[in-house]
Structures are given as structure tokens and as C-alpha cells.
Amino acid sequence: MDILNSVLNFIDYNFYFSLFATIPEHTDADTSLVLASILLSLVIIYFASKLGGEICARIDLPPVLGELVGGVIIGTSILGLLVFPEGMNTANNSLIMKFLQFTADVTPGNIQSIFDSQGEIISILSELGVIILLFEIGLESNLKELISVGPQSVMVAVAGVVTPFMLGTLGLTYLFHIDIIPSIFAGAALTATSIGITAKVLAELGNLSSPEGQIIIGAAVLDDILGIIVLAVVASLMKTGQVEVLNIVYLSLTAAVFLIGAIFIGRLLHPVYVKLVNKMKTRGQLLLISLCFAFVLSYIAQIIHLETILGSFAAGLVLAETEKRKELQDLIAPISDIFVPIFFVCVGAKTDLSVLNPTDPSNREGLVLAGFLILVAVIGKVISGFTIIGQSELNKLAIGVGMIPRGEVGLVFVGVGSASGVLSKPIEASIIVMVIFTTFLAPLLLRSILKEPFFTPQKQKIT
Amino acid sequence: MDILNSVLNFIDYNFYFSLFATIPEHTDADTSLVLASILLSLVIIYFASKLGGEICARIDLPPVLGELVGGVIIGTSILGLLVFPEGMNTANNSLIMKFLQFTADVTPGNIQSIFDSQGEIISILSELGVIILLFEIGLESNLKELISVGPQSVMVAVAGVVTPFMLGTLGLTYLFHIDIIPSIFAGAALTATSIGITAKVLAELGNLSSPEGQIIIGAAVLDDILGIIVLAVVASLMKTGQVEVLNIVYLSLTAAVFLIGAIFIGRLLHPVYVKLVNKMKTRGQLLLISLCFAFVLSYIAQIIHLETILGSFAAGLVLAETEKRKELQDLIAPISDIFVPIFFVCVGAKTDLSVLNPTDPSNREGLVLAGFLILVAVIGKVISGFTIIGQSELNKLAIGVGMIPRGEVGLVFVGVGSASGVLSKPIEASIIVMVIFTTFLAPLLLRSILKEPFFTPQKQKIT
């Protein structure tokens, strides 16, 4: 090849320069190093999520708790492997960037821009993760079931949203003198209920089809819808900063109209959707059409100042009613497996739990705040069980306790709150501790309550 | 809530400011608008890929061709929907950005940074797409089958790599006076063979198990391995810029050692992998462990100056030998369905085909170049069929023609070349036209050759 080079030197190829010659517009060093940092980040995220999830699965705790704690451990609070360019963080705080510098040729000037790009890209992947999570939750919901939910479930769901929200928001503003917008947001985060965790415990103890089980499941499904509307409204409040009754009414109406409108228009489009999918011949047609539908609704929700996840949730609800539901669920599962852990781990990694370190006296207020949120989170939901009038044969305590775990739904609130930048670190950390604590506590409490036979005459078996 | 606000105004909460108050570190406007632009881009990418793919599937052409052409149409050459911040492009050139500005509140100052972020993120998703594509190709390959490939296949594969590479590289440097590195790269791009397209035509005509069919499949599988080693070496040459015999030998050895080393170490780890997957209890364990393995190998390939895709291909080859192969293929298919079209469409969208517009006289040289590449692409592979000595009963023309389509493998070359920034626009456009033309031509030629009965005594049926 040396010969070729020499030959070329003889030829006057200036004439061709403008047309064919090497014009390096940009080197690929940056793009390929950013890609390398993303690959490294994903490996670490998946490792943390699986390690945490597996440990939790083995001690009978919800795996989502393990994924979150895995994120906290690799994140800014403890190991500093996965940190994001927010606040004071620079590339120097990130062990991933140090490893990249150690293994690849990165100039010190480049590392900061790689760090910024990595943070932005992982954040977007995490946002896509929560969009897909809500799409999957929507797809698993059943609108017909929801409409036939009994009045008791409606009572429990509404009380379980209103009580913790009011107690939380008023407590934070009056007792803790926190700004109104963060207070409302923290109150809203208290309204979430994770159906999966309670359903698993109920199934495990053979109580899923008991009256209590049915009320809890109905209430939790309704709670998903109420919760996501509350979240959309509150997140929108955070953007505009205007806490006025009219604004709140307007936003609530927008969210409700969007959700109901999407469902009705979606129903009209069912035949078109099924026909289109059946007529297409290329690979992945069902998945891509469904995802496009979810992304379009997410985009619309975003530009009318609601949240993207309200759009993907609505898309899931709509497609759950078509004959393609089962097939789509199977296809979306692997997508969810690779995207959702990014979200859970990032929520953990972004939260600075060191602001709640009890050995530092200046953290006392933050710890009191976390304690208050946990108290309200438990009391607010337990009360909801006792809103059922009469029916003394029902185990109302079990119903209330079944509504306690915030799980992945609580984390969606934390994720949105964190992205808004409106929450202070202690509030964010307190909310996440509340989510961890309720998710951890509920299965233990529920098991101990349901195992006492005199409380649950409908129980089918005791394990 | 107005009352609450007024109450708050009475309270001196300066004391709490540092701890609890609203500290907006950054607004979420940017992140959420970047997310919106990504959702929009993905919808457009999926739409273009499916529309193109479906049209091609209906006129009996490979769908991948449609995805590529769909990308060209929405890209910088024609519609300008999806353009990337490379060269002269600004947010003003992107219809997606204009749509975003029209539908969401974006300040003119923000739009350029959103455009840059969108370009970077879609490019990274496209790179993840090609990593997953090569992982899937590796997973579909069969090392045992490859080792048992007949000497005729080896002859055809080697001749089909060497002939177009030499003809292309020498022709470009001597006839067109193009720089040595772009010439070598274009020559390398000529070596690719897409097994899928030929296999489909052979299967359709009932010729897959004929001796010709078996030779073509064997040669194409071997060609995948040779091609990816060539690509890794050439891409590395482009990074270092040193075209010296010693450097080429060193890089080729590194690539071969990496691939063989990964396969051998991978084989030792088989039992650990299977045991780990079987012992894990949480969702998505097989998928995440396998992807982590692919990502780690990709990272290693990247930092030793080869290409990430060599790593994911090696990972696919290794995992194809385990008992989990079938299960993993089913799980990776939906992932591939959502990631790979991003890659194909981006390759099309990034290529500026207007540099080959025949109505502009200054494009004459570029058109001649494209014509030359097509000629070499066809002749180089047809010759390979005639390297089989004796065996006059074989249809050697059919074997050579079967090796012509570049398909997705050719696009991988274009993608890598484009990311390097070393190729001039006319060369890049010529390579992509060569890929389109060969992919389009081969099925037509192969069908017409195989349908003439006197050429193919082994044929089982004629459709």
C-alpha cells in the first residue's frame, strides 16, 4: 500500500479534491466514545437492576424495590458509578467516565462533553422506559372490568387518593412551611397505589378472589387512572407555576377530556388498526404500529402541557380492547424488560439519599419530613379501607393495608418530579424513602393480617 | 389554593429555604422537548420504514430495500423531515423541528440545541440498532455448519471478497484518483453479501437444497465473517489514517484473535451462562444477561480500536451454540424490530443523493463513480462463481449471481463509513446506490436464471 501512496503523490488530484477527496467533517472519536459510554452505562444499569431484583425476589420482596435500591447504590448517593450532569456533578464524579478514560483514549477536554451526552441519552432512554411502562400498565388494564368496579372499590379508591393528598399537602405547607408547588407534588406522590405488589401477595395467600381481594384490585385499577390524572395535573402546575383554582380545574378537565377522548376515538379506529396489522406482511408490524400510536398520543399529551405517560397509558388502554391484546403484550414484554429497568435504576441513581444521612445533624429536618411522609402514606391508605360503610364481615384493615404499596407508580411520580427540577433534594429523597418504605412494609403487613384466620373467613388456604 | 398562598406569604420561611424550598436547577422544558422530538422522529422513522418495506414486499423485493429508500425519501435528499446536524444542516433544514416549533412552545434559541440533541440521540439509537442487528445475525449463524462448509463455498467466499475489493480499491485509486483510505473503504463495502435475500429467492423457487443453493449459503455465511473482519480492519485504518502493510497485518490479526478468542472463552462460559439464567427468578433475565454479554464484547472491540459490531456479532455466534438459542432469538426479535429500522432509515436519511442528480452537470463524475462501483459489484461476485474448478453440471452463473446482493450487510458498511466522516458525499452516495442497485437486481437476475430449466438440472419445482 506504500506503493499506492507514492503513486498517488505523483498525481495532481487537486482537481478532484472538491468532489471525491477525504473531507473529514467531524471525527468519529466523540460519537463512538459516547456510544461506548452508553454501552458501559447499560451494562451497569442492567447488572444493578438484576442483582437488586434477584435479592428481593429471594426474600419475598417486590423485585422493583431491588431495582430501585440497586440504582441508589450505583448512583450519586453511594458508589458514584452512574451520575448525571445535574447540580454540582462533573465527569470527575462519574466512575463510568473514569473507567472510560482508563480504557480508551479520551482527552480531558472531551470527557466532559461525553459525560453530558451520556447523561442526556440515558435520561431519554429512561423516559422512553417510563412511557413503555405506562403503555404496558394500560395494556394490562381492562376498561370493561373498570366500569364494572363495585361502589366499594370506588369509595376506597377515591378516599385513598383524597386522604393522603390532603393530609400530605396541608401537612407540608402548614407544619413544614414548604412552598406550595413542591407540597402539592409530594401530596400527589402519596396517592399512588401499585396493584402488582398487593395482587402478588393476595395470590400467594389464595385471597385474590375473596371480596377483600376484589375490592382492592378494583380500587387499585381505578387508582391508576386517578393517579395518572393527578400526576398530569400536578406536573403541569409545576411547569406553569400557577396554583390557582381555575388553572387546576382547567388542567383536570384537559386531562380527563384527553383520556376519555383518546379512548373514544381509539375505539372508532379499532377496525382500521386490526385490518392494517393483518394486511401488513413485514416483520414487527403489530409492534411498530402500536408503538407509533403510543408515541403519537404521548407527543400530543406533551404539547398540550400534560405528561407523555398519560398518552402512552391511554394508548395501552385503547389497544387492550382489541383482539391483538395478548399478542401485543407478548411482544411488548421484551421491550419493557430492556427499557423499564433503565427508568427504575435512574430514579434511584439520581436521588441523593445522603441528604437523609442521620449522622449529619443538619439533616434532621429532612429525616422528620421523610418520617412524616411515611406516616401519611400509611394512615392515608389505611383510612381508605374504613370508608366502606357497614359490611362488618369485611376485613377493612386488610383492604386499607393492601392499598399502601406505592411501588413503580410511586417511582413514576418521583421520576417526573425529578425531571421538573422543582423539588429540593430533601423532598425528593423523602418521597423516594416513602416509596421504598411502603413497598417494603405492605407485603409484610398484609401477610401477617391475612394469616390470622379470624380476620378472613373467606380465605381459601393458608401457606 | 390562593388562601394557602396568602398564608404562606405571612410565614417567614427563609430559614427553610436552603433545605426545602423550590430550587429550580434547570427547567424541564429542554429535556421534555428533546423527548418530544425523539418521539416524533421515531414515529416518522417507523412510518417510512414500514411504508417502504410493505411496498417492496408486495413487488417481491427485499423489505430492507424499502426501509432504506424510505429513509432516503424522508432524509436530507428529498423531504428533509429527518436531517442530522452534520455538514451545513441547521434546525431550519429539519421539518421535524419546524413541526415541533409549530406545535410546542419552543424559543428560537432553544431549537438549535434540541436539533443537536435529537440528532445525537437518534444516531446513538441507530448505532444500538446495528449492534443488535449484528447480534441477531450472529445468533442465526451456526458455527458448526460454518466449519463443515465445503471447499467450494470457501473458494466462492474468498474469491467474492478478494475480487471486488481489489478491483474496487485499485480502480478508485488509479482511474478516479481518489484518496487511498476512501478507496479502500469503498472496496471493502463491495465485499459484503446479504444471505437473507438470496436465501429467500432460492427457497421461493425450491432451490435452497440444490448443490448451488448449499454452496451459496455456505459462502454467504463465511462471507459474513470475512466481511466483518474486513470492515473492522478498514474502519480501524480510517481512525488511524495509517495505510501501512504492518498496520493492516496487525489489525487483521487483532480482529481474528478477538473473534476466535471471544468464541473460545465464550464456549468455556456456556455452563455458567445457562446455570445463571436458569437460577434467576425475575423477568427478562435471559435477555438482559445476553445483551450485557453483547454490550461488554462490543465495548471491548471498541476500545481495542475495532468496531462495536464485531463484538456483538461474536456474542451472537457464542450464544447461538447454547441451548438457549431458540428462546433468545424469540426474545431478541421484537427488540430488533424496533431498533434495526432506525439504523436502516438513518443510513438512507443521512445520505445526500442529490450529489448524484443527473440534471446537474457537475455531478457527472459522481455518476460515473456510482456506475463503476455497480459494475465492479456485479462482476466481482459473478467471477466468484466461476472459481469452482470442474463440476460442469453446476450452474456457476447462478452461484455468482446469488452472491451479488449487498442488502443489510452493505448498509452496515455505509453506516460505519458515514459515522467516520472520512467519506466524501459523492463516494457515500455512490456506495449506497451500489447497495440499492445490487439488492434490487440480484433477485430479478437470480429468478430469471433459475427459471431456465436447462441451466438447473437439480431444480425441484418451477413456480
Side-chain angles (χ1 to χ4, degrees), chain A residues 5-52:
Chain A
N5 252 333
S6 318
V7 171
L8 275 170
N9 289 337
F10 278 103
I11 305 169
D12 174 22
Y13 55 102
N14 283 332
F15 173 74
Y16 298 93
F17 188 82
S18 64
L19 199 57
F20 296 138
T22 312
I23 310 167
E25 283 164 352
H26 64 294
T27 63
D28 81 322
D30 281 1
T31 313
S32 66
L33 285 173
V34 171
L35 178 63
S37 76
I38 298 295
L39 292 175
L40 209 52
S41 310
L42 288 177
V43 169
I44 287 163
I45 287 172
Y46 292 151
F47 183 78
S49 80
K50 283 289 111 177
L51 190 65

Side-chain angles (χ1 to χ4, degrees), chain A residues 331-354:
Chain A
L331 289 172
I332 210 78
I335 312 280
S336 168
D337 288 343
I338 67 163
F339 273 105
V340 177
I342 305 178
F343 172 71
F344 289 143
V345 169
C346 283
V347 167
K350 283 183 178 175
T351 309
D352 185 3
L353 280 195
S354 69

Side-chain angles (χ1 to χ4, degrees), chain A residues 1-2 4-5 7-8 11 13 16 19-26 28 31-32 34-36 39-40 42-43 46 50 53-54 57-58 63 99-100 103-105 117 120-121 124-125 127-128 131 136 174 177-180 182 239 243-245 248 279-284 287-288 291-292 295-296 298-299 302-303 305 308 331 333-339 365-366 369 419-422 424 426-427, chain B residues 1-2 4-5 7-8 11 13 16 19-26 28 32 34-36 39-40 42-43 46 50 53-54 57-58 63 87 99-100 103-105 117 120-121 124-125 127-128 131 136 174 177-180 182 239 243-245 248 279-284 287-288 291-292 295-296 298-299 302-303 305 308 331 333-339 365-366 369 419-422 424 426-427:
Chain A
M1 294 298 171
D2 278 336
L4 277 178
N5 252 333
V7 171
L8 275 170
I11 305 169
Y13 55 102
Y16 298 93
L19 199 57
F20 296 138
T22 312
I23 310 167
E25 283 164 352
H26 64 294
D28 81 322
T31 313
S32 66
V34 171
L35 178 63
L39 292 175
L40 209 52
L42 288 177
V43 169
Y46 292 151
K50 283 289 111 177
E54 288 291 325
R58 271 164 180 73
F99 185 78
L100 190 69
T103 51
D105 312 326
S117 292
E120 183 170 35
I121 293 167
I124 292 285
L125 291 177
E127 298 269 349
L128 288 176
I131 288 175
E136 206 184 14
Y174 286 102
H177 311 292
I178 291 172
D179 261 10
I180 184 71
K239 284 176 201 159
V243 187
E244 285 157 15
V245 176
I248 293 173
K279 281 219 166 171
M280 283 170 75
K281 296 176 172 183
T282 52
R283 242 184 87 164
L287 192 58
L288 291 188
L291 279 183
C292 278
F295 290 168
V296 167
S298 302
Y299 183 80
Q302 171 75 47
I303 60 172
H305 302 291
T308 50
L331 289 172
I335 312 280
S336 168
D337 288 343
I338 67 163
F339 273 105
E365 305 271 355
L369 184 66
S420 77
V422 173
S424 69
I427 296 179
Chain B
M1 294 298 171
D2 279 334
L4 276 178
N5 252 333
V7 171
L8 276 170
I11 304 169
Y13 55 103
Y16 297 93
L19 200 55
F20 297 136
T22 312
I23 310 166
E25 283 164 353
H26 64 293
D28 79 322
S32 66
V34 170
L35 178 64
L39 292 174
L40 209 52
L42 288 177
V43 169
Y46 291 151
K50 283 290 111 179
E54 288 292 325
R58 270 165 180 72
F99 186 78
L100 190 70
T103 52
D105 313 324
S117 291
E120 181 170 36
I121 293 166
I124 291 285
L125 290 178
E127 298 270 349
L128 289 176
I131 288 176
E136 206 183 15
Y174 286 101
H177 310 292
I178 292 173
D179 262 10
I180 183 71
K239 283 177 202 160
V243 188
E244 286 157 14
V245 176
I248 293 173
K279 279 218 167 170
M280 282 169 75
K281 297 177 170 181
T282 51
R283 245 184 85 162
L287 192 58
L288 291 188
L291 279 183
C292 280
F295 290 167
V296 167
S298 302
Y299 183 81
Q302 171 75 45
I303 58 172
H305 302 292
T308 50
L331 289 172
I335 313 280
S336 169
D337 287 342
I338 66 162
F339 273 104
E365 305 271 354
L369 184 65
S420 78
V422 174
S424 70
I427 295 180

Side-chain angles (χ1 to χ4, degrees), chain A residues 120-193:
Chain A
E120 183 170 35
I121 293 167
I122 293 290
S123 295
I124 292 285
L125 291 177
S126 149
E127 298 269 349
L128 288 176
V130 67
I131 288 175
I132 287 164
L133 173 67
L134 269 285
F135 181 62
E136 206 184 14
I137 293 179
L139 208 53
E140 279 163 11
S141 305
N142 190 328
L143 272 181
K144 289 203 189 76
E145 220 168 66
L146 192 69
I147 290 160
S148 67
V149 147
Q152 291 148 334
S153 291
V154 177
M155 278 299 293
V156 172
V158 172
V161 165
V162 173
T163 326
F165 178 72
M166 295 310 287
L167 286 181
T169 307
L170 294 177
L172 291 177
T173 45
Y174 286 102
L175 300 177
F176 291 88
H177 311 292
I178 291 172
D179 261 10
I180 184 71
I181 288 188
S183 296
I184 290 179
F185 188 84
L190 290 168
T191 65
T193 302

Side-chain angles (χ1 to χ4, degrees), chain B residues 51-72:
Chain B
L51 190 65
E54 288 292 325
I55 291 172
C56 280
R58 270 165 180 72
I59 52 176
D60 266 342
L61 284 173
V64 63
L65 199 62
E67 302 198 3
L68 177 67
V69 174
V72 170

Side-chain angles (χ1 to χ4, degrees), chain A residues 2 113 246 335 376 447 452:
Chain A
D2 278 336
S113 80
L246 221 89
I335 312 280
V376 173
R447 274 194 204 104
E452 294 175 39

